Amino acid sequence: MSKTLFAKDALLPTGWRRNVLLSWDDAGRLTQVQPDAVAPRDAPVSAGPLIPGMPNLHSHAFQRAFGGLTEFRGAAQDSFWSWRTLMYRFAAQISPAQVEAIATWLYIEMLEAGYSAVCEFHYLHHAPDGTPYVDDAELALALLRAAERTGIGLTLLPVLYQTSGFGGLPPNEGQRRFIRATDSMLRLLERLRPLCEAQGARLGLAPHSLRAVPPEGLREALAGLDAIDATAPVHIHIAEQTAEVDACLAWSGQRPVAWLLDHAEVDARWCLVHATHMDAAEYRRAAASGAVAGLCPTTEANLGDGIFDFGAWRGAGGRWGVGSDSHACVNAAEELMMLEYSQRLATRQRNVGADAGEPSVASAMTLAAVQGGAQASGRAVAGLAPGQQADFVVLDAAHPSLAGLSAADMLSAHVFASHRSSAVDTVWVAGRPRVSAGRHPLHSQAAAAFIAARTQLLTTP
Ligand SMILES: [Zn+2]
């Protein structure tokens, strides 16, 4: 297979460039990204503009199976917490084979929608009755197989979950499949590490949240992780809900982000997932830590979480990326659109995500989200530059919304005006085409297996 591609237009970390020649090595790492090049006679030419593949920094794969099933009013006032009750009911019965079928289909949807990598925040560990599987890594292995089969890049983040609330409240019945003692988690990480390495996946750790991990569990787990891999990524859900902020204040006298910054060495390894509810000092301090804000705009909108103050975060130099979280929507472009629109509605301004160096909001947001997503992934997937993985997306230049536009405007149309009809043509991961003409080769087969798994789940009493 050829290891070069010539693109008339490509979005490099420095912006749009013309006549770009890309080359990569056998491992799928870019060795050359040369703008203003002359196309070699035998080099394949990209059919449309090239943009970097988007790392999806936050996913709970199994949640894909109940998309659309929580969109009705169950109580006088539905909230994140009533949604969670339904999610727990679903999580209680799902089998390893069903997890694998759902994740396989989900990762194909991600690839077809412009994501080239995913950070899997994996908290379903045990059998439905809460006892460990004979192989304690059973469900993690199902996710590894799904990633391997589909070709998506993976950062696997086994989740530490120990309590049901601040102050060490014992876990409830709905959480029995999630619970692990710290030493059990460290043994799981030891078991998974060589398996991840063998398939080019990165292993990290996700303390679920401050309400689910008490201070000593957090401290011991992070020390244990450091002993295994001192640069491994660490992700945590934080300040997603105002009720969580209130509970943290009642417990500690501090808001969650402030507490975390005071009690853990939060740095560039960290991804603060959501971080929706921060005060001005928390925005400044969290941004200065170098951590990535893991924004999940469509899920946050779906769950009624609140609106992240993107202006305050960027003003403080904060890094950020996007994730599809509950998978209410699986589309890299649409997360950027939702983020930008939330800010337009909140601030009554337009093109909030643009910056001085890049006036096109879709281009600026794509570049920033790829950088932040790569940092949160702990993998070399930071865009079209030598040393990074050859992960890129070719936009469909013949799509009616894009045809005839400049490359930058094509990306704008892809993000803001393609009306959810995919303008993704080809997706390459580590120098291999995984999606061609908008379709993954396993699309139909994986869709059928997903539908069968969901039907089983819905018909199980
Ligand atoms: Zn989440």
Side-chain angles (χ1 to χ4, degrees):
M1 194 193 303
S2 168
K3 295 192 185 65
T4 58
L5 187 69
F6 182 80
K8 290 204 179 83
D9 297 281
L11 184 58
L12 308 191
T14 50
W16 284 100
R17 300 299 299 266
R18 300 276 293 164
N19 300 321
V20 178
L21 181 66
L22 297 104
S23 309
W24 54 90
D25 62 17
D26 290 338
R29 291 244 172 168
L30 290 164
T31 51
Q32 180 186 227
V33 180
Q34 181 59 54
D36 307 315
V38 177
R41 199 169 302 163
D42 55 345
V45 177
S46 130
L50 214 66
I51 61 171
M54 182 67 73
N56 182 338
L57 57 61
H58 192 61
S59 162
H60 310 288
F62 79 91
Q63 293 184 10
R64 176 63 183 89
F66 64 95
L69 296 175
T70 59
E71 310 300 326
F72 62 93
R73 180 168 286 186
Q77 215 189 2
D78 262 351
S79 67
F80 169 87
W81 308 101
S82 52
W83 170 86
R84 193 180 74 161
T85 303
L86 285 165
M87 185 268 282
Y88 278 8
R89 208 176 294 156
F90 212 83
Q93 42 165 326
I94 198 163
S95 74
Q98 288 163 342
V99 166
E100 187 166 344
I102 294 162
T104 301
W105 170 241
L106 171 68
Y107 294 164
I108 286 172
E109 288 185 301
M110 286 185 189
L111 286 162
E112 291 180 351
Y115 290 117
S116 48
V118 59
C119 299
E120 186 62 42
F121 198 105
H122 163 56
Y123 61 90
L124 207 53
H125 296 305
H126 306 310
D129 65 359
T131 56
Y133 285 104
V134 174
D135 182 345
D136 189 37
E138 173 109 23
L139 286 165
L141 297 179
L143 295 166
L144 278 164
R145 283 193 298 272
E148 173 112 85
R149 243 182 111 205
T150 58
I152 201 165
L154 178 69
T155 299
L156 183 62
L157 303 159
V159 172
L160 189 64
Y161 205 117
Q162 300 183 323
T163 56
S164 66
F166 292 98
L169 293 179
N172 62 42
E173 270 296 278
Q175 294 161 343
R176 63 185 181 271
R177 300 189 74 177
F178 316 158
I179 302 303
R180 269 186 193 277
T182 308
D183 58 346
S184 155
M185 171 55 69
L186 296 176
R187 281 196 302 275
L188 178 69
L189 295 179
E190 293 281 11
R191 161 115 166 81
L192 290 172
R193 192 176 183 206
L195 302 174
C196 286
E197 273 174 12
Q199 74 176 65
R202 188 79 200 259
L203 183 67
L205 174 70
H208 178 275
S209 56
L210 294 180
R211 64 188 147 81
V213 183
E216 60 279 14
L218 183 64
R219 205 168 43 242
E220 286 167 14
L222 291 172
L225 178 69
D226 281 356
I228 296 168
D229 176 357
T231 63
V234 181
H235 290 216
I236 188 168
H237 287 135
I238 197 150
E240 177 179 7
Q241 292 286 321
T242 51
E244 176 197 338
V245 176
D246 295 343
C248 189
L249 278 164
W251 165 66
S252 69
Q254 282 187 293
R255 302 169 61 85
V257 172
W259 189 95
L260 183 70
L261 292 168
D262 283 349
H263 293 86
E265 287 175 37
V266 176
D267 59 14
R269 291 165 71 186
W270 285 70
C271 179
L272 307 179
V273 180
H274 305 301
T276 310
H277 301 286
M278 294 192 283
D279 66 16
E282 287 175 307
Y283 271 99
R284 274 196 309 277
R285 291 183 63 205
S289 74
V292 173
L295 308 179
C296 307
T298 63
T299 291
E300 290 155 10
N302 183 277
L303 295 178
D305 287 345
I307 300 178
F308 182 79
D309 188 342
F310 196 44
W313 185 250
R314 292 172 73 229
R319 304 167 195 185
W320 62 278
V322 292
S324 58
D325 193 359
S326 70
H327 316 301
C329 165
V330 179
N331 186 322
E334 207 166 325
E335 294 300 339
L336 300 181
M337 183 178 78
M338 178 61 84
L339 175 58
E340 170 68 20
Y341 279 0
S342 71
Q343 304 303 309
R344 292 187 190 188
L345 290 165
T347 65
R348 287 173 281 165
Q349 293 176 20
R350 298 188 74 248
N351 299 326
V352 178
D355 57 44
E358 181 52 74
S360 160
V361 64
S363 297
M365 291 179 86
T366 297
L367 288 173
V370 167
Q371 289 294 325
Q375 182 181 317
S377 303
R379 300 175 65 242
V381 292
L384 304 177
Q388 301 301 309
Q389 208 171 268
D391 288 6
F392 45 82
V393 173
V394 179
L395 296 179
D396 175 8
H399 187 286
S401 296
L402 277 61
L405 305 184
S406 72
D409 287 344
M410 282 196 197
L411 179 54
S412 297
H414 171 55
V415 171
F416 292 105
S418 61
H419 314 314
R420 300 190 171 187
S421 64
S422 182
V424 169
D425 181 73
T426 315
V427 179
W428 299 68
V429 183
R432 290 180 61 183
R434 295 296 187 169
V435 169
S436 301
R439 292 274 278 206
H440 190 283
L442 298 175
H443 180 106
S444 301
Q445 184 188 339
F450 166 75
I451 293 165
R454 187 174 58 184
T455 305
Q456 277 170 10
L457 277 165
L458 293 175
T459 52
T460 305

